[in-house]
Amino acid sequence: MKLAITGKGGVGKTTLASTLARLYADEGRTVLAADVDPDANLGLALGLSQEEVDAIVPISKMRTLVEERTGANAANKFFKLNPYVADIPDTFSKEINGVKLLVMGTVDVGGSGCVCPEHVMLKAILSALTYRKNDVVIMDMEAGLEHLGRGTAANMDQFLVVIEPGARSVQTYHNVKRLAKDLGVTRVRVVANKIRDEKDEDFVRSAIPAADLLGFIHYNTDIMDADRQGKSPYDFSPAAIEEIRKIKAILDRDESL
């Protein structure tokens, strides 16, 4: 199972990513959760303390590692475009509640982006994750899909777009679906979060094709309490867990087809 979870900031994609990761881990499956969002907080959502999260150095900031694997340094402007990275997920991940967390980090670039050693490393690692045959891989992405190349995206089982009941979130879904199509991915599904009432449900159903809608996560103060305390929503909100468990059941059926 390989899932890329995306959506605009603040919609709750990390809540979904962390809860799915822990549900699969509780089943005894090998789960690797990759935090690919520049606002990295997947560690907190999985159950790490703030101090433990602060101590993690993102892969993109490991200068020595990047230089070793790509051959890039101050004296050498040429570097490998396909560095060896297969060992990195297991070597540099941190295990919490049965989930291996890999914090990818981001690359600060201007303009339309760059082909730099750090960017090459991140793409190579994401590609390596998609080849972990028997593992559950969950990527907590930023809104765009810039980290995913054509070959990497083609190996993902699904893109899950987390939305709120609003026009801007729906627009994000359409943008992700368009970008995914450009990358050769046709399965893009939606999870609607922070649903307050039937009006919100009706709005989502009117905006999202039924085949793309995985389910709803209703507005839940337990999740807010967990966030305020820097705790995992998995340990605070039985109601949200059950809703996400139903979403997981659909994903499991997809995997078995």
Side-chain angles (χ1 to χ4, degrees):
M1 175 75 71
K2 310 293 183 293
L3 303 172
I5 299 178
T6 187
K8 72 182 186 68
V11 294
K13 62 184 185 297
T14 299
T15 295
L16 177 64
S18 63
T19 303
L20 282 174
R22 291 193 59 179
L23 285 170
Y24 279 113
D26 281 354
E27 293 180 349
R29 298 192 62 174
T30 299
V31 182
L32 200 148
D35 198 339
V36 196
D37 194 328
D39 185 21
N41 51 28
L42 184 56
L44 284 175
L46 287 170
L48 291 178
S49 68
Q50 186 64 61
E51 291 75 16
E52 289 172 313
V53 170
D54 291 342
I56 296 175
V57 179
I59 298 297
S60 65
K61 303 301 181 186
M62 295 182 180
R63 185 178 299 274
T64 300
L65 177 67
V66 172
E67 290 181 354
E68 287 176 352
R69 298 303 174 92
T70 66
N73 54 51
N76 179 22
K77 295 183 179 180
F78 298 97
F79 55 87
K80 299 174 184 176
L81 295 179
N82 58 342
Y84 176 73
V85 296
D87 63 319
I88 286 177
D90 291 316
T91 303
F92 293 96
S93 61
K94 182 174 181 64
E95 186 162 338
I96 175 68
N97 290 316
V99 178
K100 294 179 180 180
L101 170 67
L102 185 67
V103 179
M104 302 288 285
T106 188
V107 181
D108 299 322
V109 296
S112 60
C114 73
V115 179
C116 55
E118 295 84 357
H119 189 69
V120 166
M121 276 283 288
L122 294 187
K123 277 201 169 185
I125 294 168
L126 288 178
S127 181
L129 291 178
T130 67
Y131 286 98
R132 295 175 71 95
K133 199 168 187 181
N134 298 315
D135 296 354
V136 176
V137 176
I138 297 174
M139 300 182 186
D140 187 4
M141 310 291 292
E142 55 186 321
L145 300 176
E146 288 79 6
H147 280 301
L148 292 177
R150 188 174 299 276
T152 302
N155 291 326
M156 301 302 296
D157 293 311
Q158 300 194 42
F159 290 165
L160 305 186
V161 186
V162 182
I163 70 168
E164 297 172 331
R168 289 190 295 274
S169 269
V170 172
Q171 183 181 36
T172 298
Y173 152 72
H174 287 296
N175 288 339
V176 170
K177 192 158 188 174
R178 174 179 51 80
L179 290 169
K181 185 177 180 181
D182 290 344
L183 292 169
V185 177
T186 57
R187 179 164 282 182
V188 177
R189 311 287 278 283
V190 170
V191 173
N193 190 28
K194 302 182 183 178
I195 300 299
R196 298 165 298 179
D197 50 33
E198 287 187 9
K199 285 186 178 180
D200 284 350
E201 292 186 12
D202 290 343
F203 171 81
V204 171
R205 288 192 178 99
S206 69
I208 305 298
D212 287 355
L213 182 58
L214 273 177
F216 298 107
I217 304 171
H218 288 82
Y219 182 83
N220 191 319
T221 56
D222 289 341
I223 294 177
M224 297 175 63
D225 291 341
D227 190 28
R228 275 196 297 268
Q229 297 182 44
K231 303 294 185 181
S232 172
Y234 191 85
D235 299 321
F236 268 68
S237 181
I241 290 172
E242 286 309 306
E243 291 180 326
I244 295 173
R245 197 187 301 276
K246 292 177 182 177
I247 291 166
K248 174 182 171 295
I250 299 173
L251 296 173
D252 290 343
R253 287 199 296 270
D254 291 343
E255 186 181 24
S256 66
L257 295 177

